[in-house]
Amino acid sequence: MTSPSSDSETSRELSDRLAHVRWLAGGTGSGKSTLAHLLADRYDVEVYNGDRAEHSWLTRCTPQRHPRLAAMRGVPPGGMWAGRTAQEVFRAMASLHGETTGFLVEDLLAMPADHIVLVDYFGILPNHLAPLLCRPDQAVFLLPAPPFRQAALGARYADPARARATWGRNDTATMLVKRLTRDALWDEEVRRQADDHRLDTITVDGSTPATDLADQLAARFGLARRT
């Protein structure tokens, strides 16, 4: 067992190694991917997409260390949602219990550190992210206003093929209501933990154009324009 002082030293060493990383986290349907694309087009950053990376995590996780993540392997579309309440789905989230954080760190440490990497991923909470930061301005949590999220997810799952890929044969309208409730619980947890760690949250309601918000984030993150 390591001592508290050595734990602190390890955390400082890790945050130093990740000093080139900027984190765009928060809630689903808040426009993180749109903003990440805008930033990648305009600024000298490489985007790390956590949603895509999750597929490799499923092959790397173990039931002993990552029970909730491992439970997702082989589950058909909608299988994690059917027969559960939104609260039960929320409590079963691997990210809520920090099971995804180690994979994020492993992936980021394997990337070149000679330029800024922008993480686009909702599934990390302030409690798990704070030890990875050298400075609070390396991260921001975007949280959508409820009408903004409802419109975004409603448009996303209006595509029948996408709805089937996500929900299987379950009723899309029923699953969407459950999803919105689960996501609201996640947002509440993010806000509470962000306050504890004095990390910033931004409420996204559509009143600020995405291009303007991208420029604000670029200034916050200290990004350089592409030449």
PDB file of all heavy atoms in Angstrom, residues 150-184:
ATOM      1  N   GLN A 150     -33.347  18.082 -25.210  1.00  0.00           N
ATOM      2  CA  GLN A 150     -34.495  17.363 -25.759  1.00  0.00           C
ATOM      3  C   GLN A 150     -34.566  17.530 -27.269  1.00  0.00           C
ATOM      4  O   GLN A 150     -34.824  16.575 -28.002  1.00  0.00           O
ATOM      5  CB  GLN A 150     -35.787  17.853 -25.107  1.00  0.00           C
ATOM      6  CG  GLN A 150     -37.006  17.032 -25.516  1.00  0.00           C
ATOM      7  CD  GLN A 150     -38.202  17.306 -24.624  1.00  0.00           C
ATOM      8  OE1 GLN A 150     -38.123  18.090 -23.686  1.00  0.00           O
ATOM      9  NE2 GLN A 150     -39.308  16.648 -24.908  1.00  0.00           N
ATOM     10  N   ALA A 151     -34.303  18.746 -27.744  1.00  0.00           N
ATOM     11  CA  ALA A 151     -34.320  18.988 -29.186  1.00  0.00           C
ATOM     12  C   ALA A 151     -33.187  18.236 -29.875  1.00  0.00           C
ATOM     13  O   ALA A 151     -33.366  17.638 -30.947  1.00  0.00           O
ATOM     14  CB  ALA A 151     -34.225  20.482 -29.466  1.00  0.00           C
ATOM     15  N   ALA A 152     -31.993  18.256 -29.257  1.00  0.00           N
ATOM     16  CA  ALA A 152     -30.828  17.597 -29.863  1.00  0.00           C
ATOM     17  C   ALA A 152     -31.019  16.088 -29.943  1.00  0.00           C
ATOM     18  O   ALA A 152     -30.780  15.472 -30.988  1.00  0.00           O
ATOM     19  CB  ALA A 152     -29.576  17.934 -29.059  1.00  0.00           C
ATOM     20  N   LEU A 153     -31.454  15.469 -28.842  1.00  0.00           N
ATOM     21  CA  LEU A 153     -31.630  14.023 -28.855  1.00  0.00           C
ATOM     22  C   LEU A 153     -32.842  13.618 -29.672  1.00  0.00           C
ATOM     23  O   LEU A 153     -32.847  12.551 -30.305  1.00  0.00           O
ATOM     24  CB  LEU A 153     -31.742  13.497 -27.422  1.00  0.00           C
ATOM     25  CG  LEU A 153     -30.503  13.661 -26.535  1.00  0.00           C
ATOM     26  CD1 LEU A 153     -30.683  12.904 -25.225  1.00  0.00           C
ATOM     27  CD2 LEU A 153     -29.239  13.192 -27.244  1.00  0.00           C
ATOM     28  N   GLY A 154     -33.876  14.455 -29.657  1.00  0.00           N
ATOM     29  CA  GLY A 154     -35.051  14.167 -30.486  1.00  0.00           C
ATOM     30  C   GLY A 154     -34.671  14.120 -31.956  1.00  0.00           C
ATOM     31  O   GLY A 154     -35.113  13.230 -32.702  1.00  0.00           O
ATOM     32  N   ALA A 155     -33.839  15.062 -32.391  1.00  0.00           N
ATOM     33  CA  ALA A 155     -33.384  15.073 -33.786  1.00  0.00           C
ATOM     34  C   ALA A 155     -32.482  13.880 -34.071  1.00  0.00           C
ATOM     35  O   ALA A 155     -32.537  13.271 -35.142  1.00  0.00           O
ATOM     36  CB  ALA A 155     -32.654  16.381 -34.074  1.00  0.00           C
ATOM     37  N   ARG A 156     -31.635  13.540 -33.107  1.00  0.00           N
ATOM     38  CA  ARG A 156     -30.701  12.426 -33.303  1.00  0.00           C
ATOM     39  C   ARG A 156     -31.446  11.118 -33.526  1.00  0.00           C
ATOM     40  O   ARG A 156     -31.106  10.341 -34.421  1.00  0.00           O
ATOM     41  CB  ARG A 156     -29.785  12.309 -32.090  1.00  0.00           C
ATOM     42  CG  ARG A 156     -28.743  11.209 -32.172  1.00  0.00           C
ATOM     43  CD  ARG A 156     -27.925  11.116 -30.897  1.00  0.00           C
ATOM     44  NE  ARG A 156     -27.246  12.373 -30.566  1.00  0.00           N
ATOM     45  CZ  ARG A 156     -26.507  12.538 -29.481  1.00  0.00           C
ATOM     46  NH1 ARG A 156     -26.369  11.529 -28.617  1.00  0.00           N
ATOM     47  NH2 ARG A 156     -25.906  13.691 -29.253  1.00  0.00           N
ATOM     48  N   TYR A 157     -32.464  10.866 -32.726  1.00  0.00           N
ATOM     49  CA  TYR A 157     -33.152   9.582 -32.808  1.00  0.00           C
ATOM     50  C   TYR A 157     -34.399   9.616 -33.673  1.00  0.00           C
ATOM     51  O   TYR A 157     -35.164   8.652 -33.716  1.00  0.00           O
ATOM     52  CB  TYR A 157     -33.472   9.086 -31.395  1.00  0.00           C
ATOM     53  CG  TYR A 157     -32.217   8.788 -30.610  1.00  0.00           C
ATOM     54  CD1 TYR A 157     -31.876   9.530 -29.482  1.00  0.00           C
ATOM     55  CD2 TYR A 157     -31.347   7.798 -31.029  1.00  0.00           C
ATOM     56  CE1 TYR A 157     -30.703   9.273 -28.789  1.00  0.00           C
ATOM     57  CE2 TYR A 157     -30.174   7.535 -30.338  1.00  0.00           C
ATOM     58  CZ  TYR A 157     -29.854   8.279 -29.220  1.00  0.00           C
ATOM     59  OH  TYR A 157     -28.685   8.019 -28.549  1.00  0.00           O
ATOM     60  N   ALA A 158     -34.579  10.718 -34.404  1.00  0.00           N
ATOM     61  CA  ALA A 158     -35.642  10.749 -35.415  1.00  0.00           C
ATOM     62  C   ALA A 158     -35.272   9.848 -36.594  1.00  0.00           C
ATOM     63  O   ALA A 158     -36.146   9.424 -37.354  1.00  0.00           O
ATOM     64  CB  ALA A 158     -35.864  12.183 -35.894  1.00  0.00           C
ATOM     65  N   ASP A 159     -33.997   9.562 -36.742  1.00  0.00           N
ATOM     66  CA  ASP A 159     -33.517   8.636 -37.766  1.00  0.00           C
ATOM     67  C   ASP A 159     -33.818   7.207 -37.295  1.00  0.00           C
ATOM     68  O   ASP A 159     -33.233   6.740 -36.316  1.00  0.00           O
ATOM     69  CB  ASP A 159     -32.018   8.827 -37.966  1.00  0.00           C
ATOM     70  CG  ASP A 159     -31.426   7.842 -38.953  1.00  0.00           C
ATOM     71  OD1 ASP A 159     -32.183   7.036 -39.532  1.00  0.00           O
ATOM     72  OD2 ASP A 159     -30.195   7.858 -39.144  1.00  0.00           O
ATOM     73  N   PRO A 160     -34.731   6.488 -37.975  1.00  0.00           N
ATOM     74  CA  PRO A 160     -35.108   5.141 -37.517  1.00  0.00           C
ATOM     75  C   PRO A 160     -33.932   4.182 -37.398  1.00  0.00           C
ATOM     76  O   PRO A 160     -33.872   3.380 -36.469  1.00  0.00           O
ATOM     77  CB  PRO A 160     -36.101   4.679 -38.590  1.00  0.00           C
ATOM     78  CG  PRO A 160     -36.651   5.937 -39.183  1.00  0.00           C
ATOM     79  CD  PRO A 160     -35.511   6.905 -39.154  1.00  0.00           C
ATOM     80  N   ALA A 161     -32.977   4.278 -38.335  1.00  0.00           N
ATOM     81  CA  ALA A 161     -31.825   3.370 -38.287  1.00  0.00           C
ATOM     82  C   ALA A 161     -30.986   3.631 -37.037  1.00  0.00           C
ATOM     83  O   ALA A 161     -30.526   2.691 -36.370  1.00  0.00           O
ATOM     84  CB  ALA A 161     -30.973   3.540 -39.547  1.00  0.00           C
ATOM     85  N   ARG A 162     -30.794   4.895 -36.718  1.00  0.00           N
ATOM     86  CA  ARG A 162     -30.006   5.224 -35.533  1.00  0.00           C
ATOM     87  C   ARG A 162     -30.750   4.826 -34.256  1.00  0.00           C
ATOM     88  O   ARG A 162     -30.139   4.348 -33.299  1.00  0.00           O
ATOM     89  CB  ARG A 162     -29.699   6.721 -35.510  1.00  0.00           C
ATOM     90  CG  ARG A 162     -28.726   7.112 -34.424  1.00  0.00           C
ATOM     91  CD  ARG A 162     -28.141   8.476 -34.666  1.00  0.00           C
ATOM     92  NE  ARG A 162     -27.056   8.767 -33.755  1.00  0.00           N
ATOM     93  CZ  ARG A 162     -26.313   9.854 -33.794  1.00  0.00           C
ATOM     94  NH1 ARG A 162     -26.535  10.764 -34.730  1.00  0.00           N
ATOM     95  NH2 ARG A 162     -25.336  10.052 -32.921  1.00  0.00           N
ATOM     96  N   ALA A 163     -32.051   5.021 -34.263  1.00  0.00           N
ATOM     97  CA  ALA A 163     -32.849   4.626 -33.099  1.00  0.00           C
ATOM     98  C   ALA A 163     -32.767   3.117 -32.875  1.00  0.00           C
ATOM     99  O   ALA A 163     -32.595   2.652 -31.746  1.00  0.00           O
ATOM    100  CB  ALA A 163     -34.293   5.072 -33.285  1.00  0.00           C
ATOM    101  N   ARG A 164     -32.856   2.330 -33.959  1.00  0.00           N
ATOM    102  CA  ARG A 164     -32.773   0.877 -33.817  1.00  0.00           C
ATOM    103  C   ARG A 164     -31.389   0.451 -33.342  1.00  0.00           C
ATOM    104  O   ARG A 164     -31.261  -0.478 -32.532  1.00  0.00           O
ATOM    105  CB  ARG A 164     -33.099   0.198 -35.146  1.00  0.00           C
ATOM    106  CG  ARG A 164     -34.584   0.154 -35.485  1.00  0.00           C
ATOM    107  CD  ARG A 164     -34.848  -0.828 -36.620  1.00  0.00           C
ATOM    108  NE  ARG A 164     -34.114  -0.460 -37.833  1.00  0.00           N
ATOM    109  CZ  ARG A 164     -34.559   0.388 -38.759  1.00  0.00           C
ATOM    110  NH1 ARG A 164     -35.760   0.952 -38.602  1.00  0.00           N
ATOM    111  NH2 ARG A 164     -33.847   0.665 -39.818  1.00  0.00           N
ATOM    112  N   ALA A 165     -30.349   1.129 -33.837  1.00  0.00           N
ATOM    113  CA  ALA A 165     -28.989   0.777 -33.425  1.00  0.00           C
ATOM    114  C   ALA A 165     -28.767   1.038 -31.942  1.00  0.00           C
ATOM    115  O   ALA A 165     -27.948   0.372 -31.296  1.00  0.00           O
ATOM    116  CB  ALA A 165     -27.983   1.572 -34.259  1.00  0.00           C
ATOM    117  N   THR A 166     -29.505   2.007 -31.392  1.00  0.00           N
ATOM    118  CA  THR A 166     -29.349   2.368 -29.980  1.00  0.00           C
ATOM    119  C   THR A 166     -30.318   1.607 -29.086  1.00  0.00           C
ATOM    120  O   THR A 166     -29.939   1.096 -28.023  1.00  0.00           O
ATOM    121  CB  THR A 166     -29.564   3.876 -29.789  1.00  0.00           C
ATOM    122  OG1 THR A 166     -28.648   4.592 -30.613  1.00  0.00           O
ATOM    123  CG2 THR A 166     -29.357   4.274 -28.327  1.00  0.00           C
ATOM    124  N   TRP A 167     -31.576   1.535 -29.514  1.00  0.00           N
ATOM    125  CA  TRP A 167     -32.630   1.004 -28.638  1.00  0.00           C
ATOM    126  C   TRP A 167     -33.119  -0.381 -29.044  1.00  0.00           C
ATOM    127  O   TRP A 167     -33.927  -0.976 -28.335  1.00  0.00           O
ATOM    128  CB  TRP A 167     -33.834   1.954 -28.620  1.00  0.00           C
ATOM    129  CG  TRP A 167     -33.507   3.379 -28.357  1.00  0.00           C
ATOM    130  CD1 TRP A 167     -33.745   4.434 -29.181  1.00  0.00           C
ATOM    131  CD2 TRP A 167     -32.887   3.941 -27.199  1.00  0.00           C
ATOM    132  NE1 TRP A 167     -33.316   5.611 -28.615  1.00  0.00           N
ATOM    133  CE2 TRP A 167     -32.784   5.339 -27.395  1.00  0.00           C
ATOM    134  CE3 TRP A 167     -32.400   3.398 -26.002  1.00  0.00           C
ATOM    135  CZ2 TRP A 167     -32.218   6.192 -26.458  1.00  0.00           C
ATOM    136  CZ3 TRP A 167     -31.828   4.241 -25.071  1.00  0.00           C
ATOM    137  CH2 TRP A 167     -31.745   5.614 -25.294  1.00  0.00           C
ATOM    138  N   GLY A 168     -32.660  -0.891 -30.181  1.00  0.00           N
ATOM    139  CA  GLY A 168     -33.155  -2.180 -30.633  1.00  0.00           C
ATOM    140  C   GLY A 168     -34.631  -2.089 -30.965  1.00  0.00           C
ATOM    141  O   GLY A 168     -35.078  -1.149 -31.633  1.00  0.00           O
ATOM    142  N   ARG A 169     -35.406  -3.037 -30.490  1.00  0.00           N
ATOM    143  CA  ARG A 169     -36.842  -3.069 -30.773  1.00  0.00           C
ATOM    144  C   ARG A 169     -37.679  -2.362 -29.714  1.00  0.00           C
ATOM    145  O   ARG A 169     -38.905  -2.379 -29.768  1.00  0.00           O
ATOM    146  CB  ARG A 169     -37.323  -4.522 -30.898  1.00  0.00           C
ATOM    147  CG  ARG A 169     -36.624  -5.285 -32.016  1.00  0.00           C
ATOM    148  CD  ARG A 169     -37.292  -6.601 -32.301  1.00  0.00           C
ATOM    149  NE  ARG A 169     -36.629  -7.313 -33.378  1.00  0.00           N
ATOM    150  CZ  ARG A 169     -37.151  -8.372 -33.989  1.00  0.00           C
ATOM    151  NH1 ARG A 169     -38.335  -8.833 -33.616  1.00  0.00           N
ATOM    152  NH2 ARG A 169     -36.478  -8.974 -34.960  1.00  0.00           N
ATOM    153  N   ASN A 170     -37.015  -1.741 -28.764  1.00  0.00           N
ATOM    154  CA  ASN A 170     -37.738  -1.002 -27.734  1.00  0.00           C
ATOM    155  C   ASN A 170     -38.357   0.259 -28.327  1.00  0.00           C
ATOM    156  O   ASN A 170     -37.846   0.820 -29.303  1.00  0.00           O
ATOM    157  CB  ASN A 170     -36.795  -0.627 -26.590  1.00  0.00           C
ATOM    158  CG  ASN A 170     -36.255  -1.845 -25.865  1.00  0.00           C
ATOM    159  OD1 ASN A 170     -36.976  -2.534 -25.168  1.00  0.00           O
ATOM    160  ND2 ASN A 170     -34.970  -2.125 -26.053  1.00  0.00           N
ATOM    161  N   ASP A 171     -39.430   0.706 -27.733  1.00  0.00           N
ATOM    162  CA  ASP A 171     -40.115   1.904 -28.206  1.00  0.00           C
ATOM    163  C   ASP A 171     -39.221   3.120 -28.033  1.00  0.00           C
ATOM    164  O   ASP A 171     -38.782   3.431 -26.918  1.00  0.00           O
ATOM    165  CB  ASP A 171     -41.425   2.099 -27.429  1.00  0.00           C
ATOM    166  CG  ASP A 171     -42.159   3.347 -27.852  1.00  0.00           C
ATOM    167  OD1 ASP A 171     -42.642   3.400 -28.996  1.00  0.00           O
ATOM    168  OD2 ASP A 171     -42.229   4.281 -27.033  1.00  0.00           O
ATOM    169  N   THR A 172     -38.957   3.819 -29.125  1.00  0.00           N
ATOM    170  CA  THR A 172     -38.017   4.940 -29.100  1.00  0.00           C
ATOM    171  C   THR A 172     -38.475   6.050 -28.170  1.00  0.00           C
ATOM    172  O   THR A 172     -37.684   6.602 -27.403  1.00  0.00           O
ATOM    173  CB  THR A 172     -37.819   5.503 -30.521  1.00  0.00           C
ATOM    174  OG1 THR A 172     -37.279   4.475 -31.359  1.00  0.00           O
ATOM    175  CG2 THR A 172     -36.873   6.695 -30.502  1.00  0.00           C
ATOM    176  N   ALA A 173     -39.772   6.390 -28.219  1.00  0.00           N
ATOM    177  CA  ALA A 173     -40.276   7.485 -27.388  1.00  0.00           C
ATOM    178  C   ALA A 173     -40.106   7.166 -25.907  1.00  0.00           C
ATOM    179  O   ALA A 173     -39.692   8.025 -25.108  1.00  0.00           O
ATOM    180  CB  ALA A 173     -41.743   7.753 -27.713  1.00  0.00           C
ATOM    181  N   THR A 174     -40.390   5.922 -25.521  1.00  0.00           N
ATOM    182  CA  THR A 174     -40.251   5.519 -24.124  1.00  0.00           C
ATOM    183  C   THR A 174     -38.789   5.560 -23.690  1.00  0.00           C
ATOM    184  O   THR A 174     -38.454   6.045 -22.601  1.00  0.00           O
ATOM    185  CB  THR A 174     -40.806   4.108 -23.918  1.00  0.00           C
ATOM    186  OG1 THR A 174     -42.189   4.089 -24.289  1.00  0.00           O
ATOM    187  CG2 THR A 174     -40.674   3.662 -22.470  1.00  0.00           C
ATOM    188  N   MET A 175     -37.917   5.042 -24.549  1.00  0.00           N
ATOM    189  CA  MET A 175     -36.497   5.020 -24.225  1.00  0.00           C
ATOM    190  C   MET A 175     -35.914   6.429 -24.149  1.00  0.00           C
ATOM    191  O   MET A 175     -35.045   6.711 -23.323  1.00  0.00           O
ATOM    192  CB  MET A 175     -35.729   4.201 -25.262  1.00  0.00           C
ATOM    193  CG  MET A 175     -36.033   2.713 -25.258  1.00  0.00           C
ATOM    194  SD  MET A 175     -35.546   1.869 -23.719  1.00  0.00           S
ATOM    195  CE  MET A 175     -37.151   1.715 -22.923  1.00  0.00           C
ATOM    196  N   LEU A 176     -36.416   7.324 -25.013  1.00  0.00           N
ATOM    197  CA  LEU A 176     -35.899   8.687 -25.013  1.00  0.00           C
ATOM    198  C   LEU A 176     -36.245   9.407 -23.714  1.00  0.00           C
ATOM    199  O   LEU A 176     -35.417  10.133 -23.151  1.00  0.00           O
ATOM    200  CB  LEU A 176     -36.451   9.463 -26.207  1.00  0.00           C
ATOM    201  CG  LEU A 176     -35.935  10.894 -26.380  1.00  0.00           C
ATOM    202  CD1 LEU A 176     -34.415  10.927 -26.429  1.00  0.00           C
ATOM    203  CD2 LEU A 176     -36.534  11.520 -27.635  1.00  0.00           C
ATOM    204  N   VAL A 177     -37.453   9.206 -23.216  1.00  0.00           N
ATOM    205  CA  VAL A 177     -37.835   9.800 -21.933  1.00  0.00           C
ATOM    206  C   VAL A 177     -36.912   9.292 -20.822  1.00  0.00           C
ATOM    207  O   VAL A 177     -36.436  10.051 -19.972  1.00  0.00           O
ATOM    208  CB  VAL A 177     -39.310   9.491 -21.600  1.00  0.00           C
ATOM    209  CG1 VAL A 177     -39.638   9.886 -20.162  1.00  0.00           C
ATOM    210  CG2 VAL A 177     -40.238  10.218 -22.561  1.00  0.00           C
ATOM    211  N   LYS A 178     -36.634   7.994 -20.853  1.00  0.00           N
ATOM    212  CA  LYS A 178     -35.744   7.406 -19.848  1.00  0.00           C
ATOM    213  C   LYS A 178     -34.336   7.976 -19.981  1.00  0.00           C
ATOM    214  O   LYS A 178     -33.677   8.281 -18.986  1.00  0.00           O
ATOM    215  CB  LYS A 178     -35.728   5.881 -20.014  1.00  0.00           C
ATOM    216  CG  LYS A 178     -35.080   5.132 -18.874  1.00  0.00           C
ATOM    217  CD  LYS A 178     -35.130   3.630 -19.108  1.00  0.00           C
ATOM    218  CE  LYS A 178     -36.554   3.101 -19.096  1.00  0.00           C
ATOM    219  NZ  LYS A 178     -36.575   1.609 -19.111  1.00  0.00           N
ATOM    220  N   ARG A 179     -33.895   8.126 -21.219  1.00  0.00           N
ATOM    221  CA  ARG A 179     -32.558   8.685 -21.474  1.00  0.00           C
ATOM    222  C   ARG A 179     -32.456  10.117 -20.953  1.00  0.00           C
ATOM    223  O   ARG A 179     -31.460  10.502 -20.326  1.00  0.00           O
ATOM    224  CB  ARG A 179     -32.271   8.639 -22.970  1.00  0.00           C
ATOM    225  CG  ARG A 179     -31.055   9.430 -23.456  1.00  0.00           C
ATOM    226  CD  ARG A 179     -29.751   8.805 -22.989  1.00  0.00           C
ATOM    227  NE  ARG A 179     -28.623   9.567 -23.499  1.00  0.00           N
ATOM    228  CZ  ARG A 179     -28.003   9.337 -24.653  1.00  0.00           C
ATOM    229  NH1 ARG A 179     -28.422   8.355 -25.449  1.00  0.00           N
ATOM    230  NH2 ARG A 179     -26.972  10.065 -25.021  1.00  0.00           N
ATOM    231  N   LEU A 180     -33.463  10.930 -21.202  1.00  0.00           N
ATOM    232  CA  LEU A 180     -33.440  12.320 -20.742  1.00  0.00           C
ATOM    233  C   LEU A 180     -33.386  12.393 -19.218  1.00  0.00           C
ATOM    234  O   LEU A 180     -32.695  13.236 -18.649  1.00  0.00           O
ATOM    235  CB  LEU A 180     -34.658  13.069 -21.271  1.00  0.00           C
ATOM    236  CG  LEU A 180     -34.679  13.318 -22.787  1.00  0.00           C
ATOM    237  CD1 LEU A 180     -36.055  13.833 -23.217  1.00  0.00           C
ATOM    238  CD2 LEU A 180     -33.598  14.304 -23.198  1.00  0.00           C
ATOM    239  N   THR A 181     -34.100  11.500 -18.555  1.00  0.00           N
ATOM    240  CA  THR A 181     -34.083  11.471 -17.091  1.00  0.00           C
ATOM    241  C   THR A 181     -32.718  11.038 -16.579  1.00  0.00           C
ATOM    242  O   THR A 181     -32.172  11.629 -15.639  1.00  0.00           O
ATOM    243  CB  THR A 181     -35.174  10.524 -16.562  1.00  0.00           C
ATOM    244  OG1 THR A 181     -36.448  10.936 -17.071  1.00  0.00           O
ATOM    245  CG2 THR A 181     -35.220  10.536 -15.047  1.00  0.00           C
ATOM    246  N   ARG A 182     -32.148  10.003 -17.205  1.00  0.00           N
ATOM    247  CA  ARG A 182     -30.803   9.541 -16.802  1.00  0.00           C
ATOM    248  C   ARG A 182     -29.780  10.646 -16.984  1.00  0.00           C
ATOM    249  O   ARG A 182     -28.935  10.888 -16.109  1.00  0.00           O
ATOM    250  CB  ARG A 182     -30.422   8.326 -17.645  1.00  0.00           C
ATOM    251  CG  ARG A 182     -29.180   7.527 -17.187  1.00  0.00           C
ATOM    252  CD  ARG A 182     -27.840   8.163 -17.500  1.00  0.00           C
ATOM    253  NE  ARG A 182     -27.620   8.575 -18.870  1.00  0.00           N
ATOM    254  CZ  ARG A 182     -26.946   7.887 -19.787  1.00  0.00           C
ATOM    255  NH1 ARG A 182     -26.459   6.705 -19.488  1.00  0.00           N
ATOM    256  NH2 ARG A 182     -26.753   8.387 -21.009  1.00  0.00           N
ATOM    257  N   ASP A 183     -29.862  11.347 -18.107  1.00  0.00           N
ATOM    258  CA  ASP A 183     -28.891  12.394 -18.387  1.00  0.00           C
ATOM    259  C   ASP A 183     -29.026  13.573 -17.428  1.00  0.00           C
ATOM    260  O   ASP A 183     -28.032  14.215 -17.081  1.00  0.00           O
ATOM    261  CB  ASP A 183     -29.040  12.872 -19.829  1.00  0.00           C
ATOM    262  CG  ASP A 183     -28.515  11.846 -20.830  1.00  0.00           C
ATOM    263  OD1 ASP A 183     -27.881  10.864 -20.400  1.00  0.00           O
ATOM    264  OD2 ASP A 183     -28.727  12.043 -22.041  1.00  0.00           O
ATOM    265  N   ALA A 184     -30.249  13.864 -17.005  1.00  0.00           N
ATOM    266  CA  ALA A 184     -30.449  14.934 -16.025  1.00  0.00           C
ATOM    267  C   ALA A 184     -29.793  14.568 -14.692  1.00  0.00           C
ATOM    268  O   ALA A 184     -29.230  15.431 -14.006  1.00  0.00           O
ATOM    269  CB  ALA A 184     -31.935  15.206 -15.831  1.00  0.00           C
TER     270      ALA A 184
END
